[in-house]
Amino acid sequence: MSDVIEIRPLTRVEGHGIVRLYLDGKRAERVELALIEPPRLFEALLLGKRFDEVPEIICRICSLCSTVHRVTSLLAVENALGIEVSPETRLYRELIVYGGQIQSHALHLFCLALPDYYNAAGFADLAAKTPDLLKLGLRIKSVGNLIQETVGGRLIHPVNIIPGGMGKRVSRPDLLKLQGALEDVLPAAVETHNLFASFAAPTRPLPRHSFLAVQGETAASLFGDRLDSSRGRSVAVTNYREALPENVIAHSHAKQSRFEGEEVIVGALARLNLGMKLPPMADKAFIDSRVKLIGVDIWGNNLAQAVELIMTVECALETVTNLLNKGAGPVGPAAVTPRKGSGSAATEAPRGVLIHSYDFDSRGYCTAADIITPTAINQEAMERDLLALAREMESADDAELRHLLEMLVRAYDPCISCAVHLVRL
Amino acid sequence: MTGPAIAIAGLTACSGCQLTLFNCEEELPLVADRFHFAHFPMGISEAEECGPLDAAVVEGCVSTPEDLETLINLRNRSRLLIAVGTCAIWGGIAAMKNNESRKELAETIYGEAAHALRTFVPGPLHRFVTVDFTVTGCPPEKGEILATLSALLHGTLPVFPGYPVCTECRNRENLCLLIERNELCLGPLIQSGCNARCPAVSIKCEGCRGPASEANAAAEMELLLEKGFSRDEIVGRMRRFYPEWDHERRY
């Protein structure tokens, strides 16, 4: 006979998930992380859609990372159809991806994760207990959203970035406004790092996992053409299918992905462990917090996101300055001649490695779509950590155990809408 | 945490409508102060499983037995049920291929394992329960969410305009993408309130807010056919957020 502890629903995460812990007496026997988000069957929805419709539809997978889904989709479509974009267009895409990461990390750190450190049930409690901290986070978040709205025309499901270029360039006064807002918020990002650096890990160390991230010699941070693992393996993004096969599992609507047969962690912690290029202030924070970040378990992920908040603010600032200095270069959109082709692209979403891949027929209509999301990759490591934590906490009472299990899931910052419905055709 | 008791829940959706509330960065602390969140899994861990609610704000369409269970629970408990976002009101993006077999769509993705999915054809909330108020959009506009919450505090509901996107678009003096650039713009049919965001950056209206109250679908169809678009392409575009257009409808 076994007892089951069920956490249903998982709260303060995006989407619908359940954790079930099966107990034999006091001993934790196994854990199931069920991502029960209702399947929206996105890949099937994309079949038969023209190439320019694909990014518009697919960004609806998830609101928290709609921008990076849209950009990754554009890159894959452009790779498939051989579309070149101007350097300005590339800069705008980098900028909006930084904006998306600022908003996503700030939402996760302040609205979803921080309440755990203040014995609060959520942002509403936090607003009563430490109003200034919540406001600090929301101020950072609003700058990420200002970028997304200015560049994308809308802050969720952005519309202004399209195959070959943009609908409309961002005006100089708007760029100056972004520059001012980013400069203002940089100290707040540093403060966020100091705050999260002051928190101790809630348990003894959990098992360590390998890390995986998108890398590229010449590309901007968060972009690249290779998948590198902390075991020293490196695979070109175009060969991702061999390296990251997916499996259907019985208790979850998301498929699991392993990298070269090994469970891996993706996300902010993985990026920092794999030596992502950091601008000066982020690098200083990273060096200060090095021992809490390098080779650690997932409890380090919140702090890693805080370091990345500084990074993305600095990167966005540099990109805006570049755009201001460059003057008004062309942003297209370039004329597109449909052709038969396949293309894939990988980008670092806030939660980690995101891959989009499409096939098009000679008229430019989609014949196959494949998307691998960070939460699907993290799923297996999450389950293993949940089990390790449950075993570690055998003497804990039920409420404490539930609280820590949920906190652990939150440390991964899962995005369950993304993980479900995105599976190979 | 006093004030009206509200629930905020997501069904089959992307969480974008709930995120829109979090995106009201300036107003969020005030909202936290004025409402009692009885059930809001994405934002708050403590939930009340039962007990009366003043308003339940529901995002997403209904496509699983669990969605229906959540919806009926909230409907039973709440004085007002507010459908937020295009999925909840019109079916939205998940419903665009409702004319095809759900089983086959699922099999395309999950293969043999598809039979284990407990899912049915996605539908809007009003197909299952009475809906008292709607805030449309994919995503909804922050201003309309805040207007709704403010009105609730005063025991009323806001009135949103029923005219189409074109009205706002002409007010902004945007180039007309439909007439002047011959693009497949759905502005004449679609509910306004977005201040013509997309045409303002030279992107045609994709119809994300659903039909305006007197959408003249037949005339738009004729116009687009005249411009050389195929019927399939027009119908495919119109279905993206609302699969049940009456293409013969005239006003």
Side-chain angles (χ1 to χ4, degrees):
Chain A
M1 261 311 274
S2 66
D3 289 329
V4 184
I5 292 181
E6 186 175 75
I7 302 175
R8 179 191 191 126
L10 283 168
T11 58
R12 278 188 275 130
V13 295
E14 192 288 328
H16 304 77
I18 302 173
V19 168
R20 289 191 200 92
L21 174 64
Y22 295 84
L23 298 169
D24 183 4
K26 283 293 267 180
R27 185 174 162 77
E29 196 119 66
R30 77 192 157 89
V31 164
E32 270 176 19
L33 171 69
L35 305 183
I36 50 146
E37 190 74 14
R40 283 177 295 161
L41 312 176
F42 264 102
E43 311 79 344
L45 299 182
L46 289 180
L47 293 185
K49 297 291 175 191
R50 208 172 60 197
F51 70 91
D52 56 336
E53 288 195 79
V54 168
E56 294 168 1
I57 294 171
I58 204 68
C59 68
R60 260 85 185 192
I61 283 171
C62 173
S63 59
L64 276 68
C65 21
S66 61
T67 292
V68 72
H69 271 292
R70 177 122 182 179
V71 170
T72 311
S73 172
L74 286 171
L75 296 174
V77 167
E78 287 164 355
N79 285 340
L81 302 185
I83 305 168
E84 289 285 331
V85 300
S86 70
E88 282 79 7
T89 298
R90 270 202 291 278
L91 286 174
Y92 279 119
R93 288 181 185 173
E94 288 162 18
L95 179 59
I96 197 170
V97 166
Y98 298 142
Q101 180 151 310
I102 293 169
Q103 111 72 24
S104 179
H105 280 3
L107 174 78
H108 174 245
L109 290 175
F110 287 91
C111 297
L112 309 184
L114 196 61
D116 287 327
Y117 298 92
Y118 287 85
N119 197 22
F123 70 94
D125 268 3
L126 211 56
K129 286 181 173 164
T130 61
D132 293 343
L133 273 186
L134 181 65
K135 282 180 189 158
L136 177 85
L138 290 171
R139 199 155 66 80
I140 301 171
K141 185 174 172 301
S142 72
V143 175
N145 273 338
L146 183 66
I147 296 174
Q148 296 196 88
E149 185 154 25
T150 307
V151 180
R154 183 163 67 191
L155 51 82
I156 299 173
H157 310 319
V159 296
N160 192 24
I161 46 174
I162 55 177
M166 294 175 74
K168 191 180 175 192
R169 86 169 56 258
V170 179
S171 71
R172 196 174 169 82
D174 280 346
L175 283 174
L176 288 167
K177 200 154 78 176
L178 289 184
Q179 192 179 38
L182 284 160
E183 279 166 359
D184 275 356
V185 88
L186 191 53
V190 173
E191 207 178 311
T192 303
H193 166 256
N194 297 340
L195 173 70
F196 278 86
S198 71
F199 299 138
T203 66
R204 289 201 304 189
L206 297 167
R208 282 165 52 177
H209 302 275
S210 297
F211 298 110
L212 181 74
V214 177
Q215 303 260 293
E217 298 309 329
T218 52
S221 303
L222 307 182
F223 293 80
D225 52 10
R226 295 193 324 266
L227 299 169
D228 287 2
S229 88
S230 54
R231 293 265 174 113
R233 301 284 301 165
S234 180
V235 172
V237 167
T238 44
N239 294 331
Y240 80 92
R241 252 171 243 253
E242 287 78 52
L244 272 169
E246 290 176 305
N247 299 304
V248 177
I249 47 173
H251 59 259
S252 186
H253 289 174
K255 291 184 179 179
Q256 290 184 335
S257 285
R258 295 178 144 214
F259 182 73
E260 306 227 295
E262 183 190 20
E263 74 207 35
V264 287
I265 289 182
V266 296
L269 188 64
R271 291 190 282 264
L272 292 183
N273 272 274
L274 283 159
M276 182 173 53
K277 282 175 289 190
L278 292 174
M281 290 175 76
D283 196 46
K284 184 182 174 301
F286 174 64
I287 290 165
D288 289 349
S289 295
R290 208 182 152 78
V291 291
K292 289 179 150 187
L293 291 167
I294 292 298
V296 300
D297 60 30
I298 197 65
W299 292 125
N301 200 41
N302 287 344
L303 181 59
Q305 286 194 349
V307 171
E308 283 197 339
L309 262 188
I310 308 176
M311 176 195 99
T312 36
V313 172
E314 284 182 284
C315 287
L317 201 47
E318 193 190 329
T319 311
V320 170
T321 310
N322 273 342
L323 282 164
L324 282 166
N325 293 342
K326 259 186 181 305
V331 291
V336 179
T337 322
R339 67 173 198 198
K340 189 175 159 69
S342 309
S344 37
T347 310
E348 283 290 337
R351 291 155 188 80
V353 174
L354 172 67
I355 301 169
H356 281 229
S357 179
Y358 308 109
D359 294 349
F360 295 99
D361 66 15
S362 57
R363 298 174 310 143
Y365 285 77
C366 182
T367 55
D370 184 23
I371 290 145
I372 295 184
T373 65
T375 299
I377 300 173
N378 276 339
Q379 204 175 334
E380 207 175 338
M382 251 189 273
E383 279 191 340
R384 212 179 94 169
D385 281 359
L386 285 167
L387 185 62
L389 176 66
R391 291 201 168 144
E392 179 77 22
M393 304 299 297
E394 264 167 27
S395 54
D397 66 46
D398 196 70
E400 192 188 354
L401 181 60
R402 283 168 179 272
H403 173 67
L404 281 168
L405 290 173
E406 251 198 301
M407 229 175 131
L408 178 64
V409 173
R410 258 174 233 135
Y412 275 94
D413 190 10
C415 204
I416 303 173
S417 292
C418 284
V420 174
H421 8 90
L422 297 170
V423 267
R424 181 154 305 150
L425 290 174
Chain B
M1 291 258 291
T2 51
I6 62 168
I8 301 180
L11 308 179
T12 301
C14 73
S15 304
C17 306
Q18 297 177 78
L19 180 61
T20 300
L21 177 62
F22 284 110
N23 282 346
C24 302
E25 285 99 0
E26 221 180 306
E27 298 85 0
L28 194 64
L30 202 60
V31 172
D33 183 54
R34 297 291 163 86
F35 287 90
H36 167 60
F37 292 97
H39 172 96
F40 184 10
M42 183 175 165
I44 289 167
S45 292
E46 288 163 4
E48 294 158 21
E49 299 284 327
C50 48
L53 298 164
D54 293 293
V57 177
V58 181
E59 163 184 13
C61 58
V62 184
S63 81
T64 65
E66 289 77 18
D67 283 347
L68 200 51
E69 195 183 321
T70 306
L71 181 63
I72 289 172
N73 171 292
L74 294 176
R75 175 68 278 184
N76 285 343
R77 292 166 61 189
S78 190
R79 191 169 69 81
L80 293 173
L81 186 97
I82 302 177
V84 175
T86 302
C87 299
I89 305 166
W90 308 106
I93 207 114
M96 73 166 81
K97 287 194 176 174
N98 275 2
N99 54 333
E100 298 178 24
S101 148
R102 182 88 179 148
K103 185 164 167 279
E104 281 168 28
L105 290 174
E107 280 170 359
T108 320
I109 294 164
Y110 292 94
E112 291 275 295
H115 73 272
L117 290 182
R118 287 160 26 102
T119 168
F120 48 82
V121 175
L125 308 189
H126 68 76
R127 186 154 304 159
F128 304 91
V129 296
T130 303
V131 173
D132 301 303
F133 189 66
T134 61
V135 185
T136 194
C138 181
E141 293 293 323
K142 288 201 288 191
E144 293 193 340
I145 298 270
L146 288 170
T148 306
L149 290 175
S150 311
L152 282 176
L153 288 175
H154 295 93
T156 178
L157 287 165
V159 176
F160 297 133
Y163 47 75
V165 171
C166 289
T167 309
E168 291 179 330
C169 195
R170 298 322 276 160
N171 279 344
R172 290 187 76 166
E173 301 185 349
N174 295 327
L175 178 82
C176 179
L177 300 173
L178 178 64
I179 304 298
E180 292 170 81
R181 285 224 312 232
N182 295 315
E183 294 191 24
L184 206 167
C185 185
L186 297 180
L189 299 179
I190 300 302
Q191 174 66 48
S192 63
C194 54
N195 203 18
R197 276 180 184 279
C198 301
V201 291
S202 292
I203 303 291
K204 55 186 177 284
C205 175
E206 58 173 341
C208 79
R209 295 173 63 80
S213 54
E214 294 185 350
N216 199 339
E220 169 89 352
M221 184 63 112
E222 276 164 20
L223 183 65
L224 290 170
L225 285 169
E226 251 171 56
K227 286 184 180 294
F229 295 102
S230 74
R231 198 174 174 87
D232 280 355
E233 188 177 5
I234 303 164
V235 170
R237 277 284 176 163
M238 287 172 71
R239 294 185 64 89
R240 188 186 287 178
F241 295 94
Y242 175 49
E244 289 158 33
W245 285 94
D246 176 357
H247 297 102
E248 312 303 324
R249 186 76 176 253
R250 279 177 203 282
Y251 282 92

